[in-house]
Amino acid sequence: MMGGIILAAQIKAKGSGNDAEKIQTICANAGLTNKHGETIQLKRRTKKEWGMEYVYRIPLGLSFKDFQNKLHTLQDGLNAKDLILQWSDLSELRIRPDIIKQIKQLLKDKKEKYKEVELSWDGFLKIKVFNEKMKTNVLYDQDLLIRVKGWKVPVGLDRSNHLIKHDFEEIPHMVVGGGTRYGKSNYLNSLIVTLLKNQLDDVTFTLIDLKGGVEFSDYDGVKQVKRVAYEPEEALEALENAYIDMKNMQQHLRRMGKKKVQDAGINQRHFIIIDEVGELNPAEAVTKDERKLKEACQMYMSKIARLGAGLGFRQILATQYPTGDVIPRQCKQNSDAKLCFRVRNAVASRVVLDEEGAEALPRVKGRAIYQTDTRHVIQSAFIPEEEIRNTIAPLINIRPRKEDPDAKSHSENRKEHKHTLIIEEA
Ligand SMILES: Nc1ncnc2c1ncn2[C@@H]1O[C@H](COP(=O)(O)OP(=O)(O)OP(=O)(O)O)[C@@H](O)[C@H]1O
């Protein structure tokens, strides 16, 4: 019986975790060859604590992008289950009466094991094949928060559990994309909470919530939140006001003879966050007036993206519909940071990241590609509702206007999206 099982499993004496040949075959079969039929050449392989790193020379005529576009082919190929037992696997067996059970377990473990792959480029193609799947749960907590200072916010943990941070002083604007329910709003909440916790005295927000008021309404009334807009008309007003503030800052700096807020020692930063920017797409407008309104919104967004950086204005645009014109061109060009959760297809990935890849992310909530001049696959931190509530509760101080005979309660106003509120100093 035992002999039967061992025979059924082929035994390959190639050493642990060696996928070099398989990678080469997959690349050749996937058409990653030049017109002379040359494919990648292995330069070296290194065993790491997380798995194996393979370094290849790529043939002339192919680019790194060609390989990136085939990432899922590579990953699927490496995970094709052939149930091969290697010598190193057998070394895990113990000569005991339950040896058959051990072998069955070994085969089962192998079947369930999933190798994740990451590609990078430094003049050579680096292919990392990981032994373990990446974490699927990272909690937003105090331990994470103390690791970011100033205008930095956590983006997420990479595969080696290294915290990737985004610095809004270095890269002022960001585009966030991803299919529905993969974690955009969670990420935006973690970003707002981080800035409220770390930059309470200097941060201002304009929040534009075009998802029916479900995402940002909790912040309505927070002293640091200048405005929450829920409808495109309100979005226009909010963007116009932000733009006016930005122009005022520009004049103020001019009078001081300075070009940037940093040079003038001005610490205030104003974040304009729009969740779902697709709702402001003029191409989707039904009437002429609606189109005009959305065009005006996009004009302000473009101006803020173009001029805002040195004036202390940061813009974060989030969308679950990454199609061609959802993100105004100027906003995209001025956003050097992109965060993209899983999307349906390569076209959507290109809209957000300018590259493919986000369509090949695993179906894991919070998993995303963070792209600046480098690319990181991260698991963003999950922020519990309670954490959000505990952060904002002490900052809310609202009462209806006394002089307004029709004064309504805060919650009534929120439902109607009208803001006849005054905010007291907290
Ligand atoms: N980083 C994360 N880790 C674990 N779970 C997460 C994470 N982010 C989000 N989730 C889970 O996924 C659900 C959907 O997340 P979220 O509301 O942020 O998605 P979304 O991309 O904004 O969706 P939509 O575009 O449909 O509004 C959350 O309720 C939460 O349970």
Side-chain angles (χ1 to χ4, degrees):
M1 171 85 173
M2 185 186 129
I5 290 174
I6 293 185
L7 273 181
Q10 304 165 52
I11 297 170
K12 229 180 173 184
K14 285 254 164 132
S16 157
N18 180 9
D19 284 313
E21 263 178 42
K22 216 170 177 184
I23 291 172
Q24 211 135 357
T25 311
I26 296 166
C27 287
N29 290 347
L32 290 165
T33 52
N34 66 10
K35 64 177 185 179
H36 305 295
E38 294 163 337
T39 187
I40 48 172
Q41 270 175 25
L42 183 67
K43 203 168 159 276
R44 63 169 186 275
R45 61 174 160 234
T46 319
K47 193 162 197 259
K48 305 270 188 184
E49 62 189 49
W50 40 259
M52 290 290 285
E53 183 180 78
Y54 302 92
V55 179
Y56 291 91
R57 193 190 305 279
I58 68 171
L60 288 176
L62 291 186
S63 68
F64 174 55
K65 218 166 174 174
D66 294 326
F67 288 85
Q68 259 183 324
N69 293 347
K70 296 282 182 186
L71 175 65
H72 46 292
T73 311
L74 203 53
Q75 195 154 282
D76 290 350
L78 287 176
N79 284 292
K81 303 281 186 271
D82 50 8
L83 293 187
I84 290 174
L85 284 187
Q86 296 176 339
W87 286 115
S88 59
D89 297 325
L90 296 183
S91 69
E92 287 174 27
L93 296 176
R94 297 287 164 263
I95 308 293
R96 291 190 315 232
D98 70 340
I99 189 137
I100 292 175
K101 211 170 148 198
Q102 290 180 51
I103 292 171
K104 280 184 177 166
Q105 186 60 42
L106 206 61
L107 287 168
K108 187 166 176 264
D109 291 349
K110 259 186 120 61
K111 205 170 168 185
E112 281 168 5
K113 210 161 192 169
Y114 189 87
K115 293 173 182 172
E116 290 181 349
V117 177
E118 249 179 57
L119 305 182
S120 59
W121 172 255
D122 64 355
F124 289 100
L125 171 69
K126 279 190 183 163
I127 302 183
K128 292 178 177 168
V129 181
F130 297 93
N131 290 336
E132 301 293 331
K133 278 191 177 180
M134 219 173 135
K135 268 194 178 173
T136 52
N137 259 315
V138 176
L139 188 66
Y140 182 99
D141 58 9
Q142 192 57 25
D143 289 346
L144 192 80
L145 185 67
I146 55 172
R147 291 161 73 185
V148 286
K149 301 255 174 313
W151 294 101
K152 290 190 183 131
V153 294
V155 181
L157 296 191
D158 72 5
R159 198 175 289 277
S160 341
N161 290 329
H162 175 70
L163 178 63
I164 305 297
K165 305 167 191 174
H166 175 83
D167 186 348
F168 278 106
E169 285 303 84
E170 253 179 50
I171 305 180
H173 309 307
M174 187 191 265
V175 168
V176 180
T180 179
R181 311 302 290 159
Y182 274 110
K184 292 179 301 299
S185 303
N186 173 79
Y187 179 71
L188 296 177
N189 277 308
S190 76
L191 187 153
I192 297 170
V193 166
T194 304
L195 294 172
L196 283 174
K197 282 181 186 271
N198 285 349
Q199 295 289 356
L200 193 61
D201 295 334
D202 295 323
V203 73
T204 298
F205 292 100
T206 292
L207 302 177
I208 300 180
D209 177 350
L210 299 167
K211 280 167 130 182
V214 289
E215 294 308 340
F216 294 151
S217 60
D218 287 346
Y219 300 98
D220 211 342
V222 169
K223 185 186 158 214
Q224 287 72 10
V225 177
K226 210 163 175 191
R227 183 180 273 261
V228 186
Y230 301 95
E231 302 292 339
E233 293 78 12
E234 295 171 340
L236 177 60
E237 216 179 304
L239 285 165
E240 202 169 11
N241 282 331
Y243 176 72
I244 292 167
D245 288 352
M246 191 180 82
K247 290 305 274 183
N248 288 341
M249 178 60 80
Q250 194 175 38
Q251 275 175 15
H252 180 61
L253 285 177
R254 216 173 272 149
R255 280 195 296 272
M256 290 175 82
K258 306 282 182 199
K259 282 202 175 119
K260 295 192 295 190
V261 278
Q262 289 89 344
D263 301 340
I266 295 171
N267 297 329
Q268 279 71 35
R269 301 290 180 267
H270 189 147
F271 286 73
I272 296 123
I273 306 182
I274 308 182
D275 190 12
E276 163 63 59
V277 71
E279 295 291 330
L280 298 179
N281 184 4
E284 303 280 318
V286 179
T287 65
K288 223 175 177 183
D289 287 349
E290 193 188 339
R291 182 172 324 125
K292 264 191 182 163
L293 183 132
K294 293 183 175 178
E295 278 168 359
C297 288
Q298 288 209 343
M299 176 199 70
Y300 285 123
M301 281 151 57
S302 298
K303 286 186 182 209
I304 294 167
R306 210 155 31 85
L307 305 171
L311 304 173
F313 285 69
R314 277 68 184 117
Q315 194 165 242
I316 301 157
L317 305 181
T319 183
Q320 62 166 284
Y321 308 111
T323 52
D325 35 15
V326 158
I327 306 158
R329 202 168 35 87
Q330 298 223 4
C331 297
K332 186 80 186 298
Q333 280 168 354
N334 285 286
S335 300
D336 288 332
K338 285 116 185 170
L339 181 68
C340 192
F341 296 84
R342 189 185 153 87
V343 285
R344 266 202 216 154
N345 53 42
V347 177
S349 177
R350 274 201 296 269
V351 171
V352 183
L353 299 174
D354 291 324
E355 280 178 16
E356 299 183 8
E359 78 288 359
L361 287 170
R363 294 174 191 277
V364 173
K365 288 176 190 292
R367 185 67 54 85
I369 294 175
Y370 170 67
Q371 189 153 297
T372 53
D373 47 358
T374 54
R375 173 189 270 228
H376 299 274
V377 176
I378 57 96
Q379 179 66 29
S380 71
F382 174 72
I383 183 160
E385 279 289 322
E386 203 187 355
E387 179 77 45
I388 303 174
R389 258 185 272 120
N390 290 345
T391 306
I392 56 185
L395 306 174
I396 293 188
N397 197 354
I398 297 173
R399 62 182 166 77
R401 283 180 205 277
K402 275 190 195 126
E403 67 276 18
D404 180 356
D406 294 329
K408 290 181 176 176
S409 71
H410 173 51
S411 57
E412 276 173 305
N413 273 319
R414 188 188 291 168
K415 265 187 229 140
E416 292 182 15
H417 301 158
K418 288 196 180 114
H419 305 286
T420 50
L421 301 166
I422 57 168
I423 299 168
E424 292 179 334
E425 295 281 311

